[in-house]
Amino acid sequence: MVATKTMKEVTQEAWARRPLIISGPCSAETEEQVMKTAVQLQETGKVDIMRAGIWKPRTRPGSFEGIGTKGLAWLQKAREITGIPVAVEVATAKQVEDALHFDVDVLWIGARTTVNPFSVQDVADALRGVEVPVLIKNPINPDLELWIGAVERVAKAGIKQIGLIHRGFSSYGNTEYRNAPMWHLAIEMKRRHPGMLFINDPSHICGRRDILQDVAQTAIDLDFDGLIIESHIDPDKAWSDAKQQITPARLGEMLSAIRWRREDVASDEYHANLEKLRQQINQLDDELMQIIGERMKISEKIGQYKKENNITILQTNRWNAILERAFKKGDKLGLSQEFITKYFDAVHMESINHQNKVMNS
Ligand code: PEP
Ligand code: MN
């Protein structure tokens, strides 16, 4: 007799696979769309978990807000045919109950829910005593504490398998991205949760198809454990997030084109060379800190001088001149304007704080 695996076992294996690939439509729309997507995703041979939104939190009312509970039956059917575990977003206790009633294998908490501790607690309470893996997206605003808080609430409810999804952060005005990746926040979140599954969501970061590949590659280069990418049998006709979805076939090509990196390699030569380069970096970092410390001492002298002459700390013209000068120099050194701006902003703030202490002491 052939022992068939239970869906729980299949889900455990999927959760443990690296890279972990989750894909499926932004929203379940029709039974036919769900079934066709599922089969095409299975044909890629690269998808571990199938996602589909059943209840859609849209920014404005009037857009498609999800097919609701009847879509859960379609997912069950899709899973029967493909054997691929399914994942659904939940935002309320009722949605958790419904999803579990239909044996959804993996749940995720969306960005608009993670921002709200009441909602996260509501979901967490409904999860008490349940054994289901839960993925938690970052909140829409760049606030790590909210994200960490959501992880704590779900963990306190007794959920053992928690994963993180980095889907970028909302920012005002038009940028290249729909949601700015702010990779440094993802890196910090990962640092604070060593060993926790951490995947990237290029679809909601990009909001468009043409830059998905680049963002996915960046995520893999930053050692993410996997990707969640939206796919649709007819992306342009999708009822939600049409611009960012790709066909399952395109997903397959994209994943094949990614340069998968390994975290380490068992080579003494590699480790010795890396160690040498890292020592150089440490040395330079020490020197940079030394120099910045000296720069602050000069700022304090300027502060003393301004104090004696009763002059304001901030001198806008001088600040613009410093930035202009730095852009020109930085350009020659291969440093981006974005970096120069961030670096000088930080140095300037520190400098103002030092002057402030001198002037108001
Ligand atoms: C989604 O995954 O379709 C979704 C609504 O994402 P987010 O919560 O990241 O906006
Ligand atoms: Mn979406």
Side-chain angles (χ1 to χ4, degrees):
M1 201 183 101
V2 189
T4 46
K5 286 179 201 156
T6 65
M7 219 40 229
K8 271 214 165 15
E9 287 164 343
V10 175
T11 305
Q12 289 307 313
E13 284 177 20
W15 186 266
R17 223 167 284 143
R18 299 290 179 270
L20 172 67
I21 305 297
I22 303 177
S23 188
C26 178
S27 306
E29 298 163 4
T30 65
E31 180 168 354
E32 192 195 0
Q33 170 242 11
V34 169
M35 301 312 279
K36 278 194 179 160
T37 311
V39 170
Q40 291 181 18
L41 287 174
Q42 186 192 28
E43 279 165 7
T44 68
K46 296 178 194 290
V47 175
D48 302 300
I49 297 171
M50 177 172 170
R51 61 151 283 155
I54 294 291
W55 304 279
K56 299 304 296 180
R58 308 317 296 176
T59 303
R60 305 272 302 271
S63 45
F64 177 58
E65 296 194 304
I67 204 72
T69 313
K70 70 176 173 196
L72 292 171
W74 307 338
L75 285 179
Q76 254 187 345
K77 220 169 140 185
R79 180 181 58 188
E80 262 167 45
I81 290 172
T82 62
I84 300 175
V86 292
V88 156
E89 172 178 353
V90 287
T92 65
K94 175 77 170 67
Q95 292 172 4
V96 172
E97 273 167 39
D98 288 351
L100 293 175
H101 181 72
F102 281 85
D103 298 317
V104 169
D105 305 288
V106 174
L107 304 177
W108 89 81
I109 296 179
R112 286 163 194 76
T113 305
T114 310
V115 281
N116 184 343
F118 285 134
S119 300
V120 175
Q121 194 56 53
D122 190 38
V123 168
D125 288 340
L127 287 169
R128 217 169 278 282
V130 178
E131 229 182 274
V132 66
V134 177
L135 293 158
I136 305 176
K137 288 200 175 197
N138 67 255
I140 43 179
N141 52 330
D143 182 343
L144 279 196
E145 293 306 315
L146 274 174
W147 200 0
I148 293 167
V151 172
E152 286 169 348
R153 284 175 202 278
V154 172
K156 272 194 179 159
I159 295 295
K160 298 272 178 300
Q161 286 180 293
I162 300 179
L164 303 166
I165 302 178
H166 168 231
R167 51 77 82 194
F169 302 89
S170 165
S171 61
Y172 186 70
N174 283 331
T175 59
E176 188 185 0
Y177 301 105
R178 177 176 173 194
N179 291 292
M182 302 191 188
W183 296 104
H184 61 286
L185 292 182
I187 291 167
E188 177 59 13
M189 189 67 181
K190 186 169 149 73
R191 193 183 69 78
R192 297 222 212 160
H193 298 85
M196 190 173 277
L197 175 71
F198 200 33
I199 68 176
N200 182 259
D201 176 349
S203 302
H204 292 89
I205 289 178
C206 299
R208 45 188 252 226
R209 287 188 269 278
D210 59 328
I211 54 173
L212 280 177
Q213 179 95 49
D214 280 351
V215 168
Q217 183 67 56
T218 301
I220 294 311
D221 289 344
L222 291 174
D223 198 26
F224 276 79
D225 296 313
L227 302 167
I228 176 168
I229 296 179
E230 287 184 342
S231 56
H232 193 283
I233 43 167
D234 192 354
D236 284 331
K237 296 217 179 80
W239 298 1
S240 59
D241 289 353
K243 284 197 206 124
Q244 70 197 31
Q245 302 203 59
I246 53 177
T247 61
R250 176 72 199 112
L251 174 81
E253 289 166 15
M254 236 186 84
L255 295 173
S256 298
I258 285 181
R259 295 176 297 280
W260 300 99
R261 320 276 190 195
R262 43 192 179 175
E263 203 182 330
D264 206 354
V265 57
S267 148
D268 288 345
E269 193 194 339
Y270 163 80
H271 282 281
N273 286 336
L274 191 65
E275 192 46 41
K276 254 189 241 159
L277 292 169
R278 282 183 170 161
Q279 276 173 14
Q280 285 178 33
I281 294 266
N282 285 351
Q283 178 63 30
L284 287 171
D285 280 344
D286 287 353
E287 285 172 27
L288 278 173
M289 295 231 276
Q290 182 75 30
I291 290 174
I292 292 173
E294 281 165 26
R295 189 191 190 282
M296 293 308 153
K297 290 211 185 83
I298 296 183
S299 294
E300 286 168 14
K301 273 190 199 155
I302 291 179
Q304 186 59 37
Y305 203 51
K306 283 184 185 166
K307 182 182 183 178
E308 283 159 21
N309 292 281
N310 208 26
I311 306 282
T312 58
I313 293 181
L314 180 64
Q315 309 230 290
T316 309
N317 287 345
R318 166 70 182 146
W319 179 232
N320 283 336
I322 287 181
L323 269 185
E324 269 316 303
R325 207 169 151 263
F327 283 157
K328 279 197 197 118
K329 267 209 144 54
D331 192 42
K332 285 192 194 119
L333 294 165
L335 302 173
S336 69
Q337 286 212 356
E338 188 195 354
F339 169 73
I340 297 278
T341 308
K342 276 192 192 145
Y343 169 76
F344 274 91
D345 270 348
V347 169
H348 189 221
M349 264 330 290
E350 183 71 7
S351 184
I352 285 177
N353 290 342
H354 279 254
Q355 290 194 23
N356 214 347
K357 250 189 245 155
V358 173
M359 292 180 77
N360 296 307
S361 64

